[in-house]
């Protein structure tokens, strides 16, 4: 069974940094695009940042210049480096990946359970 597990969330002061990780495990044939979404209290889940299997990156305007995404294909892991954090970055961050498991001829979207990021003094 394929699953995504996030780690690295926590409490940080405004202007600080955090690094989130998301590891995919299970019987994985291939992984396509990977990315991060977030959901703040009382708001809908929103896309934040993505990286393709060819390492092309895409950023929401709200995080451009502050957040960086990278991936380690050997470890089936994607990372989110968050710098210059603001209070409005407070949210639950969810990992998302397009994965083709062994035994299937198509890929499916998988989600992690989320990790809380709180930016507060």
């Amino acid at each position: 069974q394929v699953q995504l597990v996030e780690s690295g969330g926590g409490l940080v002061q405004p202007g600080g940094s955090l690094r989130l990780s998301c590891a995919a495990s299970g019987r994985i044939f291939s992984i396509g695009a990977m990315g991060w979404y977030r959901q703040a209290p009382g708001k809908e889940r929103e896309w934040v940042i993505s990286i393709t299997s060819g390492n092309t990156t895409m950023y929401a305007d709200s995080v451009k210049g502050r957040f960086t995404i990278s991936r380690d294909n050997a470890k089936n892991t994607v990372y989110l480096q968050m710098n210059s954090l603001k209070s409005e970055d407070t949210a639950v961050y969810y990992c998302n990946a397009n994965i083709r498991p062994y035994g299937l001829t198509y890929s499916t979207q998988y989600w992690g359970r989320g990790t809380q990021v709180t930016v507060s003094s």
Side-chain angles (χ1 to χ4, degrees), residues 25-85:
S25 62
R27 300 186 71 248
I28 296 171
F29 179 80
S30 64
I31 302 178
M34 305 181 80
W36 294 88
Y37 288 69
R38 67 186 180 186
Q39 187 167 17
K43 295 187 178 181
E44 294 186 353
R45 188 175 299 189
E46 65 173 358
W47 169 75
V48 176
I49 196 168
S50 296
I51 184 168
T52 68
S53 56
N55 286 324
T56 298
T57 57
M58 292 154 283
Y59 302 81
D61 288 343
S62 60
V63 305
K64 200 168 293 184
R66 300 188 299 121
F67 290 13
T68 303
I69 190 170
S70 60
R71 62 191 287 169
D72 184 335
N73 292 328
K75 296 181 179 180
N76 289 341
T77 299
V78 62
Y79 304 97
L80 176 60
Q81 178 66 44
M82 304 184 291
N83 299 328
S84 303
L85 282 161

Side-chain angles (χ1 to χ4, degrees), residues 2-30:
V2 174
Q3 61 177 349
L4 299 176
V5 178
E6 303 102 334
S7 61
L11 173 64
V12 63
Q13 292 186 343
S17 298
L18 275 179
R19 188 192 195 209
L20 306 184
S21 300
C22 171
S25 62
R27 300 186 71 248
I28 296 171
F29 179 80
S30 64

